[in-house]
Amino acid sequence: MDQIVNLTKRRGFVFPSAEIYGGFRSTYDYGPLGVLMLRNVKEAWWRSMVQLRDDVVGLDAAILGPPAIWEASGHLANFTDPLVDCRNCNERWRADHLVASDKDGKIHCPNCDSTDLTEARAFNMMFKTYAGPVEDEGAVAYLRPETAQGMFYNFANVLQTSRKRPPFGIAQQGKSFRNEITPGNFVFRTREFEQMELEYFVPPDEGPQWFEYWCAERMQWYRDLGIPDDMLRLRPHDPEELSHYSAGTSDVEFLFPWGWGELEGIANRTDFDLTAHSKASGERLEYYDQASGERYVPHVIEPAAGATRTMMAFLIAAYDEDEIGGERRSVLRLHPRLAPYKVAVLPLSKKDTLTPVAREVLQLLQPHVMCDYDDTQSIGRRYRRQDEVGTPFCVTVDFESLEDRAVTVRDRDTTAQDRVPIDGLVEHVRAKLAL
Ligand code: ATP
């Protein structure tokens, strides 16, 4: 874990936010490489959930919303965590994250080991703010704690404009905000984070089968992008763990350095949300099948993933150390789709004679894939820098290139090198990346 945190800071993936002011409470910024990788995670999700399907459309709803949404969804009443205070050291904890000690069967404060804890009280996790200049009750607004509600209150709009019929889905990615009591474990739990959610609307009697379908689909997505089987599992919720609206929930879990943790929750939410918004707003949120004259409130299956948390899992799964020619290296074996840079163009020396060809090669590749260009330090060090950030291919321009119009393409994982004509380079790289 320390190695990953250190690497992400040192190489510009993730910075503690407002670091020059001492940081800000488990808030993070995504640096030059982090922004590329986070976009790639979201893009890989969007590709699989929207682009490659004809039954899912996208949405980008507002982050700010009126209390009415959260009243209807149940978040104002129920989106709480149980908070306990330690009377000894004044630290605060989530009651459901504390476990009784084996020693005496009592719950101890993880910070100071005291057993003098307050009773748990419900703490609402939504961020409240005011829209407009007057801070009164009528101006209260909330930052969304999940993207899902945007899909529910836009159900009728999307149904009408997209001309889809159940089974069909609405997908959305974006920031969500939760006033977590105990954020931590790097970007695993933060107060500001990014989600990737699908609401998939189905005829009521088809809920259970689509739930199974989405569990399998989503597990496969993580596998396809390189999470090994022994670090991934699907964990069905126990009946007492189920949310009040859910007829079934399974979590996709990843083996983090501290144990299993949720990457995504897949829930059969039945008609809970559409019915709740329909009652509260007075609008009909249902599907009318003109052919059969049938009218019903669809049930919804929700695969809800975290982009930032998932990016961290991909980094952990990809991190490796090996030995090349007797020298140790660290390497991120990222799936090419997720790697920040796909190709690094490296002129063997900074000599003026090589620069024009190297820049020509760079410009040839840039329209197709995200590239880095590096002409500092020795070639060996530059290879290791690229290995460490997961760049699948390094293209080296050397003095022979001036003669034979060819370059060397080095593979991150095997370090094998191929000589490839510049004219065929784009095709070669595209085929190898298999994006
Ligand atoms: P947890 O039990 O860890 O608090 P949750 O079950 O409340 O999570 P959901 O409401 O199902 O989470 O949200 C869907 C996904 O959003 C989670 O699986 C996770 O990937 C992501 N997510 C939720 N809360 C956070 C957070 N505070 N920081 C980062 N990602 C989060």
Side-chain angles (χ1 to χ4, degrees), residues 48-49 52-53 198 210-224 232 234 252 264 266 303:
S48 136
M49 304 298 265
L52 296 180
R53 307 185 65 99
L198 169 70
W210 283 109
F211 174 72
E212 295 304 323
Y213 168 86
W214 280 111
C215 285
E217 272 302 286
R218 295 301 306 145
M219 285 292 283
Q220 196 54 42
W221 185 79
Y222 293 97
R223 285 194 206 104
D224 287 347
L232 193 69
L234 186 69
V252 177
E264 167 161 356
I266 303 160

Side-chain angles (χ1 to χ4, degrees), residues 159-370:
L159 194 65
Q160 266 163 27
T161 53
S162 69
R163 309 191 66 79
K164 297 284 174 202
R165 47 177 305 187
F168 84 101
I170 311 178
Q172 180 172 204
Q173 307 180 321
K175 291 232 168 167
S176 292
F177 301 82
R178 297 182 187 180
N179 203 354
E180 298 276 0
I181 297 167
T182 42
N185 282 331
F186 195 40
V187 299
F188 179 81
R189 187 180 302 285
T190 50
R191 295 198 172 100
E192 172 177 348
F193 56 96
E194 277 200 78
Q195 289 190 306
M196 313 184 283
E197 297 194 290
L198 169 70
E199 305 304 327
Y200 196 75
F201 301 96
V202 304
D205 58 339
E206 294 179 18
Q209 84 203 47
W210 283 109
F211 174 72
E212 295 304 323
Y213 168 86
W214 280 111
C215 285
E217 272 302 286
R218 295 301 306 145
M219 285 292 283
Q220 196 54 42
W221 185 79
Y222 293 97
R223 285 194 206 104
D224 287 347
L225 290 171
I227 307 260
D229 276 335
D230 58 354
M231 295 179 98
L232 193 69
R233 72 177 188 194
L234 186 69
R235 188 184 66 81
H237 280 204
D238 297 330
E240 64 270 17
E241 203 185 341
L242 283 181
S243 315
H244 55 288
Y245 52 73
S246 176
T249 299
S250 287
D251 288 345
V252 177
E253 294 188 336
F254 176 76
L255 189 55
F256 286 96
W258 62 88
W260 290 97
E262 174 183 331
L263 293 182
E264 167 161 356
I266 303 160
N268 178 349
R269 301 176 66 112
T270 68
D271 61 358
F272 175 83
D273 308 275
L274 289 181
T275 305
H277 283 295
S278 183
K279 270 195 198 134
S281 66
E283 297 287 329
R284 275 191 157 171
L285 300 177
E286 53 190 22
Y287 176 69
Y288 175 64
D289 189 338
Q290 273 179 334
S292 69
E294 208 190 346
R295 189 182 283 285
Y296 62 84
V297 179
H299 281 208
V300 66
I301 310 301
E302 175 194 76
T308 38
R309 192 181 279 188
T310 298
M311 171 177 149
M312 177 180 172
F314 283 127
L315 282 170
I316 292 170
Y319 185 82
D320 195 12
E321 288 174 3
D322 63 3
E323 224 174 83
I324 299 293
E327 223 183 297
R328 286 204 71 72
R329 69 163 181 170
S330 38
V331 51
L332 283 183
R333 300 193 191 279
L334 288 172
H335 188 285
R337 205 179 281 296
L338 302 179
Y341 297 123
K342 316 301 178 200
V343 177
V345 177
L346 313 174
L348 189 64
S349 98
K350 250 182 164 161
K351 290 240 166 59
D352 286 350
T353 42
L354 288 188
T355 307
V357 188
R359 298 210 69 88
E360 178 196 334
V361 167
L362 176 70
Q363 280 161 16
L364 208 61
L365 290 165
Q366 273 173 328
H368 305 278
V369 288
M370 190 71 212

